[in-house]
Amino acid sequence: MPSASRTAAFFDYDGTLIAGYSILTFLKERVRRRDLAPAGLLRTTVSLAQSALGQIDSRELISRGIHEWSGRRLADLETLGEHLFERELRDRIYPEMRARVAEHLRQGHLVAIATSAAPFQVESVARELGIEHVLCTRLETRDGVLTGKSSGPVLWGRAKADAVGEFARRHRVDLRRSYFYADGDEEIALMKAVGHPRPVNPRPLLAESAAREGWPVQRFTSRGMPGPDARLRSALATASAVPVLLGALAMRALTGSKREAANFLASTLTEISLGLGKVRLNVTGEEHLWAVRPAVFIWNHRNIFDAQIVGRLVQRDFGAVAGKDLQSSPLVAAAARFMHIAFVDPDDSRAAVAALEPATRLLGEGISMLVAPEGTRVAGGGIGAFRKDAFRMAMTAKVPVVPIVIRNADDIGSRSSGTMRPGTVDVAVLPPVRVDDWTLRDLDRRVEGVRQQFVETLERWPGIVDRRVPRRKRR
Protein backbone atom coordinates (compact mmCIF):
# COMPACT_ATOMS: atom_id res chain seq x y z
CA MET A 1 0.00 0.00 0.00
CA PRO A 2 1.43 3.45 -0.90
CA SER A 3 2.71 5.49 2.03
CA ALA A 4 0.73 8.44 3.37
CA SER A 5 1.77 11.51 1.41
CA ARG A 6 -1.20 13.89 1.18
CA THR A 7 -1.80 17.00 3.27
CA ALA A 8 -5.30 17.55 4.60
CA ALA A 9 -7.10 20.32 6.46
CA PHE A 10 -9.88 19.24 8.85
CA PHE A 11 -12.44 21.77 10.07
CA ASP A 12 -14.83 21.47 12.98
CA TYR A 13 -18.21 23.04 12.20
CA ASP A 14 -20.14 24.70 15.05
CA GLY A 15 -18.14 27.52 16.63
CA THR A 16 -15.33 27.08 14.10
CA LEU A 17 -16.63 27.46 10.55
CA ILE A 18 -19.80 29.19 11.73
CA ALA A 19 -20.60 31.34 14.72
CA GLY A 20 -22.71 29.61 17.35
CA TYR A 21 -24.49 26.26 17.20
CA SER A 22 -26.50 25.32 14.13
CA ILE A 23 -28.79 22.95 16.05
CA LEU A 24 -30.17 25.90 18.02
CA THR A 25 -31.22 27.47 14.72
CA PHE A 26 -33.18 24.32 13.88
CA LEU A 27 -34.65 24.19 17.39
CA LYS A 28 -35.83 27.81 17.19
CA GLU A 29 -37.40 27.11 13.81
CA ARG A 30 -39.28 24.10 15.18
CA VAL A 31 -40.58 26.21 18.05
CA ARG A 32 -41.55 29.00 15.64
CA ARG A 33 -43.45 26.54 13.46
CA ARG A 34 -45.02 24.89 16.53
CA ASP A 35 -43.48 21.67 15.29
CA LEU A 36 -42.22 20.60 18.72
CA ALA A 37 -44.75 19.28 21.20
CA PRO A 38 -44.68 20.74 24.75
CA ALA A 39 -43.28 17.48 26.14
CA GLY A 40 -40.47 17.47 23.56
CA LEU A 41 -39.68 21.11 24.26
CA LEU A 42 -39.54 20.37 28.00
CA ARG A 43 -37.20 17.41 27.44
CA THR A 44 -34.94 19.51 25.23
CA THR A 45 -34.83 22.35 27.78
CA VAL A 46 -33.93 19.90 30.58
CA SER A 47 -31.20 18.34 28.45
CA LEU A 48 -29.69 21.73 27.62
CA ALA A 49 -29.71 22.67 31.32
CA GLN A 50 -28.07 19.37 32.31
CA SER A 51 -25.38 19.89 29.67
CA ALA A 52 -24.70 23.44 30.88
CA LEU A 53 -24.35 22.12 34.46
CA GLY A 54 -22.00 19.34 33.37
CA GLN A 55 -24.45 16.56 34.32
CA ILE A 56 -24.35 15.04 30.81
CA ASP A 57 -21.67 15.28 28.14
CA SER A 58 -22.17 16.50 24.60
CA ARG A 59 -22.43 12.97 23.24
CA GLU A 60 -25.47 12.30 25.41
CA LEU A 61 -26.96 15.71 24.56
CA ILE A 62 -26.59 14.97 20.84
CA SER A 63 -28.11 11.50 21.23
CA ARG A 64 -31.13 12.96 23.01
CA GLY A 65 -31.47 15.58 20.30
CA ILE A 66 -31.44 12.90 17.59
CA HIS A 67 -34.23 11.11 19.44
CA GLU A 68 -36.41 14.24 19.18
CA TRP A 69 -36.30 13.95 15.36
CA SER A 70 -37.88 10.49 15.49
CA GLY A 71 -40.72 10.06 12.99
CA ARG A 72 -39.65 12.93 10.74
CA ARG A 73 -38.92 12.34 7.07
CA LEU A 74 -35.26 12.83 6.24
CA ALA A 75 -36.18 14.63 3.01
CA ASP A 76 -38.15 17.20 5.01
CA LEU A 77 -35.13 17.89 7.23
CA GLU A 78 -32.88 18.26 4.19
CA THR A 79 -35.31 20.83 2.75
CA LEU A 80 -35.40 22.63 6.11
CA GLY A 81 -31.60 22.63 6.19
CA GLU A 82 -31.44 24.33 2.79
CA HIS A 83 -34.02 26.90 3.89
CA LEU A 84 -32.19 27.78 7.13
CA PHE A 85 -28.89 27.91 5.30
CA GLU A 86 -30.23 30.52 2.90
CA ARG A 87 -31.98 32.48 5.63
CA GLU A 88 -29.37 32.39 8.39
CA LEU A 89 -26.48 29.90 8.34
CA ARG A 90 -24.73 31.27 5.25
CA ASP A 91 -24.34 34.63 6.99
CA ARG A 92 -22.93 32.88 10.07
CA ILE A 93 -19.89 31.54 8.19
CA TYR A 94 -16.79 33.33 9.43
CA PRO A 95 -15.31 35.15 6.41
CA GLU A 96 -11.86 34.49 7.88
CA MET A 97 -12.57 30.74 7.81
CA ARG A 98 -14.00 31.00 4.32
CA ALA A 99 -10.64 32.45 3.27
CA ARG A 100 -8.71 29.66 5.03
CA VAL A 101 -10.73 26.94 3.36
CA ALA A 102 -10.17 28.59 -0.02
CA GLU A 103 -6.43 28.81 0.61
CA HIS A 104 -6.16 25.11 1.52
CA LEU A 105 -8.11 24.21 -1.62
CA ARG A 106 -5.86 26.46 -3.69
CA GLN A 107 -2.81 24.64 -2.33
CA GLY A 108 -4.29 21.31 -3.39
CA HIS A 109 -4.89 20.07 0.16
CA LEU A 110 -7.63 17.55 0.89
CA VAL A 111 -10.27 19.47 2.86
CA ALA A 112 -12.89 17.88 5.13
CA ILE A 113 -15.37 18.90 7.80
CA ALA A 114 -15.32 16.71 10.92
CA THR A 115 -18.31 17.37 13.17
CA SER A 116 -20.84 15.82 15.51
CA ALA A 117 -23.61 17.63 13.63
CA ALA A 118 -26.09 15.81 11.40
CA PRO A 119 -25.88 16.00 7.59
CA PHE A 120 -28.86 18.36 7.21
CA GLN A 121 -27.09 20.86 9.50
CA VAL A 122 -23.76 20.94 7.71
CA GLU A 123 -23.98 19.85 4.07
CA SER A 124 -25.25 23.17 2.69
CA VAL A 125 -22.30 24.99 4.27
CA ALA A 126 -19.91 22.36 2.90
CA ARG A 127 -21.25 22.93 -0.63
CA GLU A 128 -21.00 26.70 -0.20
CA LEU A 129 -17.33 26.42 0.75
CA GLY A 130 -16.48 23.83 -1.90
CA ILE A 131 -15.71 21.12 0.67
CA GLU A 132 -16.26 17.66 -0.79
CA HIS A 133 -15.74 15.49 2.30
CA VAL A 134 -18.03 15.66 5.36
CA LEU A 135 -17.45 13.42 8.39
CA CYS A 136 -20.55 13.78 10.55
CA THR A 137 -23.12 11.94 12.66
CA ARG A 138 -25.30 9.94 10.30
CA LEU A 139 -28.94 9.32 11.17
CA GLU A 140 -30.71 5.97 10.98
CA THR A 141 -33.76 5.83 8.72
CA ARG A 142 -36.38 3.29 7.75
CA ASP A 143 -38.17 3.96 4.48
CA GLY A 144 -36.90 7.55 4.59
CA VAL A 145 -38.20 8.16 8.14
CA LEU A 146 -35.85 8.86 11.07
CA THR A 147 -35.84 6.25 13.83
CA GLY A 148 -34.43 8.59 16.49
CA LYS A 149 -31.06 6.80 16.54
CA SER A 150 -27.71 7.45 14.93
CA SER A 151 -26.40 5.20 12.19
CA GLY A 152 -22.95 4.56 13.59
CA PRO A 153 -21.22 6.53 16.35
CA VAL A 154 -21.94 10.13 17.33
CA LEU A 155 -18.82 11.90 16.04
CA TRP A 156 -17.80 13.63 19.23
CA GLY A 157 -14.51 13.35 21.11
CA ARG A 158 -12.82 10.00 20.60
CA ALA A 159 -15.27 8.93 17.90
CA LYS A 160 -14.40 11.99 15.83
CA ALA A 161 -10.68 11.34 16.24
CA ASP A 162 -11.22 7.73 15.09
CA ALA A 163 -13.21 8.90 12.06
CA VAL A 164 -10.46 11.35 11.09
CA GLY A 165 -7.84 8.62 11.52
CA GLU A 166 -9.80 6.22 9.31
CA PHE A 167 -10.33 8.95 6.70
CA ALA A 168 -6.59 9.68 6.74
CA ARG A 169 -5.72 6.02 6.19
CA ARG A 170 -8.24 5.65 3.37
CA HIS A 171 -7.03 8.79 1.55
CA ARG A 172 -3.30 8.35 2.28
CA VAL A 173 -3.22 11.52 4.40
CA ASP A 174 -0.11 12.25 6.45
CA LEU A 175 -1.51 13.72 9.67
CA ARG A 176 1.92 15.08 10.58
CA ARG A 177 1.64 17.44 7.61
CA SER A 178 -2.06 18.20 8.15
CA TYR A 179 -4.14 20.90 9.84
CA PHE A 180 -7.04 20.78 12.28
CA TYR A 181 -9.24 23.78 13.11
CA ALA A 182 -11.60 23.48 16.09
CA ASP A 183 -12.86 25.23 19.21
CA GLY A 184 -13.88 22.50 21.67
CA ASP A 185 -12.07 21.19 24.75
CA GLU A 186 -12.76 17.63 23.54
CA GLU A 187 -10.58 18.25 20.46
CA ILE A 188 -7.25 18.36 22.32
CA ALA A 189 -6.27 14.77 21.46
CA LEU A 190 -6.96 15.34 17.77
CA MET A 191 -5.02 18.62 17.90
CA LYS A 192 -2.02 16.65 19.14
CA ALA A 193 -2.42 14.12 16.34
CA VAL A 194 -1.81 16.63 13.52
CA GLY A 195 1.29 18.56 12.62
CA HIS A 196 -0.48 21.91 12.43
CA PRO A 197 -3.08 22.32 15.21
CA ARG A 198 -5.13 25.50 14.84
CA PRO A 199 -7.43 26.29 17.80
CA VAL A 200 -10.17 28.70 16.69
CA ASN A 201 -12.17 30.64 19.29
CA PRO A 202 -10.99 28.01 21.82
CA ARG A 203 -12.86 27.14 24.97
CA PRO A 204 -10.92 27.28 28.27
CA LEU A 205 -9.21 23.86 28.35
CA LEU A 206 -8.24 24.04 24.69
CA ALA A 207 -6.92 27.58 25.20
CA GLU A 208 -4.80 26.34 28.12
CA SER A 209 -3.41 23.47 26.06
CA ALA A 210 -2.68 25.85 23.18
CA ALA A 211 -0.73 28.16 25.49
CA ARG A 212 1.18 25.21 26.94
CA GLU A 213 1.95 23.60 23.57
CA GLY A 214 2.58 26.82 21.68
CA TRP A 215 -0.25 26.29 19.21
CA PRO A 216 -1.28 29.46 17.31
CA VAL A 217 -4.72 30.58 18.45
CA GLN A 218 -7.14 32.39 16.15
CA ARG A 219 -10.11 34.36 17.48
CA PHE A 220 -12.81 35.79 15.27
CA THR A 221 -15.57 38.24 16.22
CA SER A 222 -16.98 39.08 12.79
CA ARG A 223 -20.02 36.83 13.24
CA GLY A 224 -22.48 35.98 15.99
CA MET A 225 -24.05 38.46 18.39
CA PRO A 226 -22.24 41.83 18.32
CA GLY A 227 -20.79 42.93 21.65
CA PRO A 228 -22.23 45.83 23.67
CA ASP A 229 -19.45 48.12 22.43
CA ALA A 230 -20.32 47.49 18.75
CA ARG A 231 -24.04 47.99 19.40
CA LEU A 232 -23.39 51.24 21.27
CA ARG A 233 -21.19 52.62 18.50
CA SER A 234 -23.81 51.63 15.91
CA ALA A 235 -26.50 53.45 17.89
CA LEU A 236 -24.31 56.54 18.16
CA ALA A 237 -23.67 56.51 14.41
CA THR A 238 -27.42 56.36 13.75
CA ALA A 239 -28.13 59.12 16.27
CA SER A 240 -25.45 61.36 14.70
CA ALA A 241 -27.51 61.50 11.50
CA VAL A 242 -29.98 63.91 13.12
CA PRO A 243 -27.56 66.82 13.79
CA VAL A 244 -25.81 66.20 10.48
CA LEU A 245 -29.13 66.43 8.61
CA LEU A 246 -29.95 69.65 10.49
CA GLY A 247 -26.52 71.00 9.54
CA ALA A 248 -27.18 70.17 5.89
CA LEU A 249 -30.54 71.96 6.08
CA ALA A 250 -28.83 75.03 7.54
CA MET A 251 -26.12 74.99 4.89
CA ARG A 252 -28.70 74.77 2.10
CA ALA A 253 -30.67 77.65 3.61
CA LEU A 254 -27.60 79.84 4.04
CA THR A 255 -25.85 79.13 0.74
CA GLY A 256 -28.79 78.22 -1.48
CA SER A 257 -26.70 75.34 -2.82
CA LYS A 258 -28.30 71.90 -2.72
CA ARG A 259 -25.08 70.36 -4.05
CA GLU A 260 -22.88 71.74 -1.25
CA ALA A 261 -25.44 70.64 1.34
CA ALA A 262 -25.40 67.14 -0.19
CA ASN A 263 -21.59 67.11 -0.15
CA PHE A 264 -21.55 68.08 3.53
CA LEU A 265 -24.15 65.44 4.36
CA ALA A 266 -22.49 62.57 2.50
CA SER A 267 -18.91 63.23 3.58
CA THR A 268 -19.79 63.91 7.22
CA LEU A 269 -22.14 60.95 7.67
CA THR A 270 -19.75 58.43 6.10
CA GLU A 271 -16.79 59.80 8.09
CA ILE A 272 -18.71 59.58 11.37
CA SER A 273 -20.14 56.14 10.62
CA LEU A 274 -16.81 54.53 9.66
CA GLY A 275 -15.00 56.35 12.46
CA LEU A 276 -17.42 55.20 15.16
CA GLY A 277 -17.41 51.74 13.63
CA LYS A 278 -13.60 51.64 13.90
CA VAL A 279 -13.33 50.71 10.24
CA ARG A 280 -10.09 51.45 8.40
CA LEU A 281 -9.67 51.39 4.64
CA ASN A 282 -6.62 50.03 2.84
CA VAL A 283 -6.90 51.72 -0.54
CA THR A 284 -4.89 51.14 -3.68
CA GLY A 285 -5.50 53.09 -6.90
CA GLU A 286 -6.89 56.16 -5.09
CA GLU A 287 -5.79 58.37 -7.99
CA HIS A 288 -8.42 56.74 -10.22
CA LEU A 289 -11.17 58.21 -8.03
CA TRP A 290 -10.28 61.68 -9.32
CA ALA A 291 -8.98 60.97 -12.83
CA VAL A 292 -12.28 61.81 -14.53
CA ARG A 293 -15.41 63.38 -13.07
CA PRO A 294 -18.32 62.90 -13.44
CA ALA A 295 -18.30 59.11 -13.68
CA VAL A 296 -20.40 56.09 -12.84
CA PHE A 297 -18.74 54.40 -9.85
CA ILE A 298 -19.57 50.70 -9.50
CA TRP A 299 -18.69 48.23 -6.74
CA ASN A 300 -19.34 44.65 -5.61
CA HIS A 301 -22.16 44.68 -3.07
CA ARG A 302 -22.07 42.53 0.09
CA ASN A 303 -23.80 44.41 2.93
CA ILE A 304 -25.30 47.78 3.89
CA PHE A 305 -21.88 49.13 4.84
CA ASP A 306 -20.00 48.87 1.53
CA ALA A 307 -22.14 51.68 0.06
CA GLN A 308 -20.89 53.91 2.90
CA ILE A 309 -17.32 52.92 2.03
CA VAL A 310 -17.82 53.90 -1.61
CA GLY A 311 -19.48 57.17 -0.58
CA ARG A 312 -16.52 57.94 1.69
CA LEU A 313 -14.11 57.36 -1.18
CA VAL A 314 -16.01 59.36 -3.83
CA GLN A 315 -16.66 62.07 -1.20
CA ARG A 316 -18.51 64.75 -3.19
CA ASP A 317 -20.80 65.59 -6.09
CA PHE A 318 -22.59 62.25 -6.40
CA GLY A 319 -26.00 60.65 -6.38
CA ALA A 320 -26.88 56.96 -6.20
CA VAL A 321 -29.07 54.18 -7.50
CA ALA A 322 -30.71 52.13 -4.75
CA GLY A 323 -33.22 49.33 -4.43
CA LYS A 324 -36.84 50.38 -4.08
CA ASP A 325 -37.01 48.66 -0.66
CA LEU A 326 -34.69 51.34 0.77
CA GLN A 327 -37.19 54.08 -0.03
CA SER A 328 -38.97 53.31 3.26
CA SER A 329 -35.80 53.81 5.33
CA PRO A 330 -36.14 57.13 7.25
CA LEU A 331 -32.42 57.91 6.94
CA VAL A 332 -32.31 57.20 3.20
CA ALA A 333 -35.53 59.13 2.64
CA ALA A 334 -34.06 62.13 4.50
CA ALA A 335 -30.83 61.93 2.48
CA ALA A 336 -32.89 61.87 -0.72
CA ARG A 337 -34.03 65.44 0.06
CA PHE A 338 -30.46 66.63 -0.57
CA MET A 339 -28.97 64.24 -3.09
CA HIS A 340 -30.51 62.42 -6.03
CA ILE A 341 -31.28 58.79 -5.24
CA ALA A 342 -32.97 56.78 -7.98
CA PHE A 343 -35.04 54.03 -6.37
CA VAL A 344 -35.26 51.09 -8.74
CA ASP A 345 -37.42 47.99 -8.69
CA PRO A 346 -35.20 45.29 -10.25
CA ASP A 347 -38.26 43.22 -11.14
CA ASP A 348 -39.85 46.01 -13.23
CA SER A 349 -37.50 46.87 -16.09
CA ARG A 350 -39.78 49.51 -17.67
CA ALA A 351 -40.13 51.40 -14.37
CA ALA A 352 -36.39 51.06 -13.77
CA VAL A 353 -35.57 52.76 -17.07
CA ALA A 354 -37.90 55.66 -16.20
CA ALA A 355 -36.40 55.98 -12.69
CA LEU A 356 -32.87 56.17 -14.10
CA GLU A 357 -33.55 58.94 -16.63
CA PRO A 358 -33.13 61.82 -14.10
CA ALA A 359 -29.94 60.21 -12.78
CA THR A 360 -28.56 59.98 -16.31
CA ARG A 361 -29.33 63.69 -16.89
CA LEU A 362 -27.47 64.57 -13.67
CA LEU A 363 -24.32 62.94 -15.07
CA GLY A 364 -24.42 65.59 -17.77
CA GLU A 365 -24.57 68.25 -15.04
CA GLY A 366 -21.39 67.06 -13.34
CA ILE A 367 -22.94 64.74 -10.73
CA SER A 368 -21.39 61.27 -10.54
CA MET A 369 -23.57 58.24 -9.76
CA LEU A 370 -22.90 55.28 -7.46
CA VAL A 371 -24.37 52.00 -8.70
CA ALA A 372 -24.00 48.41 -7.46
CA PRO A 373 -24.30 46.51 -10.76
CA GLU A 374 -25.13 43.19 -9.11
CA GLY A 375 -28.40 44.80 -8.06
CA THR A 376 -28.51 43.16 -4.65
CA ARG A 377 -26.26 42.02 -1.82
CA VAL A 378 -24.46 38.91 -3.04
CA ALA A 379 -23.70 36.09 -0.62
CA GLY A 380 -20.29 34.45 -0.52
CA GLY A 381 -17.02 35.58 -1.99
CA GLY A 382 -17.80 35.59 -5.71
CA ILE A 383 -19.07 38.23 -8.11
CA GLY A 384 -22.70 38.07 -9.18
CA ALA A 385 -24.05 38.77 -12.65
CA PHE A 386 -23.95 42.46 -13.61
CA ARG A 387 -27.08 44.35 -14.67
CA LYS A 388 -26.60 46.72 -17.60
CA ASP A 389 -28.25 49.83 -16.08
CA ALA A 390 -25.03 51.47 -14.87
CA PHE A 391 -23.34 50.98 -18.22
CA ARG A 392 -26.28 52.26 -20.26
CA MET A 393 -26.27 55.39 -18.09
CA ALA A 394 -22.56 55.90 -18.76
CA MET A 395 -23.01 55.36 -22.50
CA THR A 396 -25.90 57.83 -22.72
CA ALA A 397 -24.08 60.50 -20.71
CA LYS A 398 -20.71 59.73 -22.37
CA VAL A 399 -18.89 59.38 -19.03
CA PRO A 400 -16.52 56.60 -17.90
CA VAL A 401 -17.22 53.77 -15.50
CA VAL A 402 -14.87 53.47 -12.49
CA PRO A 403 -14.73 49.99 -10.90
CA ILE A 404 -14.23 49.88 -7.12
CA VAL A 405 -13.37 46.36 -5.96
CA ILE A 406 -13.94 45.62 -2.26
CA ARG A 407 -12.25 42.49 -1.02
CA ASN A 408 -13.51 41.84 2.51
CA ALA A 409 -16.53 43.94 3.43
CA ASP A 410 -17.84 40.73 5.05
CA ASP A 411 -15.33 41.26 7.85
CA ILE A 412 -17.29 44.22 9.21
CA GLY A 413 -20.78 42.78 8.76
CA SER A 414 -22.71 39.98 7.12
CA ARG A 415 -25.22 40.45 4.34
CA SER A 416 -28.09 40.91 6.81
CA SER A 417 -26.23 42.63 9.66
CA GLY A 418 -27.27 46.07 10.83
CA THR A 419 -24.33 46.54 13.22
CA MET A 420 -20.92 47.53 11.92
CA ARG A 421 -17.97 45.70 13.49
CA PRO A 422 -14.40 46.99 13.74
CA GLY A 423 -12.06 45.90 10.99
CA THR A 424 -9.90 46.82 8.02
CA VAL A 425 -11.41 46.67 4.55
CA ASP A 426 -9.26 46.36 1.42
CA VAL A 427 -10.30 48.44 -1.59
CA ALA A 428 -8.81 48.54 -5.10
CA VAL A 429 -9.91 51.36 -7.40
CA LEU A 430 -9.30 50.37 -11.02
CA PRO A 431 -8.60 52.74 -13.92
CA PRO A 432 -11.67 54.38 -15.50
CA VAL A 433 -13.28 52.35 -18.28
CA ARG A 434 -14.11 54.50 -21.29
CA VAL A 435 -17.39 53.64 -23.01
CA ASP A 436 -17.17 56.04 -25.96
CA ASP A 437 -16.97 53.23 -28.53
CA TRP A 438 -19.42 50.85 -26.84
CA THR A 439 -22.56 49.87 -28.72
CA LEU A 440 -25.75 48.08 -27.69
CA ARG A 441 -24.70 45.22 -29.95
CA ASP A 442 -21.54 44.49 -27.96
CA LEU A 443 -22.87 45.60 -24.56
CA ASP A 444 -23.14 42.10 -23.09
CA ARG A 445 -19.52 41.35 -23.96
CA ARG A 446 -18.30 44.71 -22.67
CA VAL A 447 -20.17 44.38 -19.36
CA GLU A 448 -18.82 40.87 -18.84
CA GLY A 449 -15.32 42.23 -19.50
CA VAL A 450 -15.72 44.74 -16.66
CA ARG A 451 -17.11 42.01 -14.40
CA GLN A 452 -14.03 39.90 -15.17
CA GLN A 453 -11.87 42.79 -13.95
CA PHE A 454 -13.53 42.37 -10.56
CA VAL A 455 -13.02 38.59 -10.64
CA GLU A 456 -9.35 38.87 -11.60
CA THR A 457 -8.64 41.63 -9.07
CA LEU A 458 -10.05 39.50 -6.24
CA GLU A 459 -7.95 36.54 -7.43
CA ARG A 460 -4.72 38.57 -7.77
CA TRP A 461 -4.97 41.48 -5.37
CA PRO A 462 -2.72 44.46 -6.16
CA GLY A 463 -0.28 45.95 -3.66
CA ILE A 464 -2.05 47.64 -0.74
CA VAL A 465 -1.02 50.91 0.83
CA ASP A 466 -2.02 50.99 4.51
CA ARG A 467 -3.42 54.38 5.40
CA ARG A 468 -6.47 56.05 6.78
CA VAL A 469 -9.40 57.20 4.66
CA PRO A 470 -8.12 59.77 2.14
CA ARG A 471 -8.69 63.38 3.06
CA ARG A 472 -11.50 65.18 1.29
CA LYS A 473 -10.63 66.72 -2.05
CA ARG A 474 -11.28 70.41 -2.42
CA ARG A 475 -12.34 72.19 -5.55
Side-chain angles (χ1 to χ4, degrees), residues 148-160:
K149 299 178 182 179
S150 63
S151 175
V154 173
L155 290 200
W156 183 84
R158 181 67 188 177
K160 182 194 285 190

Side-chain angles (χ1 to χ4, degrees), residues 10 23 91 221 312 411 416 463:
F10 299 95
I23 194 60
D91 283 347
T221 59
R312 182 74 190 113
D411 288 5
S416 58

Side-chain angles (χ1 to χ4, degrees), residues 382-417:
I383 299 295
F386 276 10
R387 295 169 57 89
K388 302 182 185 68
D389 300 342
F391 305 93
R392 288 196 178 108
M393 290 170 61
M395 291 168 64
T396 301
K398 295 180 172 54
V399 302
V401 172
V402 179
I404 299 177
V405 188
I406 303 177
R407 178 159 66 168
N408 57 332
D410 279 347
D411 288 5
I412 63 171
S414 69
R415 180 179 50 165
S416 58
S417 176

Side-chain angles (χ1 to χ4, degrees), residues 250-278:
M251 178 173 288
R252 183 174 178 179
L254 291 171
T255 65
S257 173
K258 181 178 179 180
R259 180 182 293 195
E260 288 307 316
N263 288 339
F264 168 79
L265 177 69
S267 62
T268 305
L269 276 182
T270 55
E271 184 173 11
I272 289 174
S273 178
L274 296 177
L276 284 173
K278 296 184 178 179

Side-chain angles (χ1 to χ4, degrees), residues 183-415:
D183 69 310
D185 294 335
E186 74 279 4
E187 314 284 17
I188 293 173
L190 192 46
M191 287 283 176
K192 291 181 177 179
V194 300
H196 302 285
R198 293 292 185 268
V200 176
N201 306 320
R203 285 178 240 159
L205 292 180
L206 180 56
E208 289 177 13
S209 291
R212 189 165 54 249
E213 301 287 344
W215 299 335
V217 171
Q218 299 162 314
R219 298 185 187 275
F220 305 133
T221 59
S222 59
R223 291 297 181 268
M225 184 66 69
D229 178 58
R231 290 197 295 271
L232 175 61
R233 286 185 278 102
S234 180
L236 289 173
T238 301
S240 71
V242 175
V244 174
L245 284 166
L246 292 174
L249 279 170
M251 178 173 288
R252 183 174 178 179
L254 291 171
T255 65
S257 173
K258 181 178 179 180
R259 180 182 293 195
E260 288 307 316
N263 288 339
F264 168 79
L265 177 69
S267 62
T268 305
L269 276 182
T270 55
E271 184 173 11
I272 289 174
S273 178
L274 296 177
L276 284 173
K278 296 184 178 179
V279 172
R280 289 173 56 90
L281 303 182
N282 279 346
V283 184
T284 186
E286 179 195 347
E287 65 277 8
H288 301 311
L289 292 166
W290 303 98
V292 184
R293 295 285 185 107
V296 176
F297 292 90
I298 63 174
W299 80 97
N300 48 318
H301 193 20
R302 291 297 174 272
N303 52 33
I304 64 172
F305 309 119
D306 51 36
Q308 297 179 40
I309 290 171
V310 174
R312 182 74 190 113
L313 293 170
V314 177
Q315 297 183 10
R316 61 177 298 118
D317 300 328
F318 67 83
V321 175
K324 192 175 182 180
D325 57 312
L326 289 176
Q327 199 166 7
S328 60
S329 166
L331 181 57
V332 176
R337 297 185 60 183
F338 298 92
M339 57 197 306
H340 183 84
I341 301 178
F343 295 101
V344 174
D345 182 354
D347 298 323
D348 188 340
S349 57
R350 181 173 297 180
V353 170
L356 291 173
E357 286 178 358
T360 304
R361 287 197 299 271
L362 283 173
L363 285 165
E365 299 172 14
I367 300 295
S368 297
M369 298 302 296
L370 313 186
V371 188
E374 293 158 307
T376 187
R377 304 170 204 166
V378 176
I383 299 295
F386 276 10
R387 295 169 57 89
K388 302 182 185 68
D389 300 342
F391 305 93
R392 288 196 178 108
M393 290 170 61
M395 291 168 64
T396 301
K398 295 180 172 54
V399 302
V401 172
V402 179
I404 299 177
V405 188
I406 303 177
R407 178 159 66 168
N408 57 332
D410 279 347
D411 288 5
I412 63 171
S414 69
R415 180 179 50 165

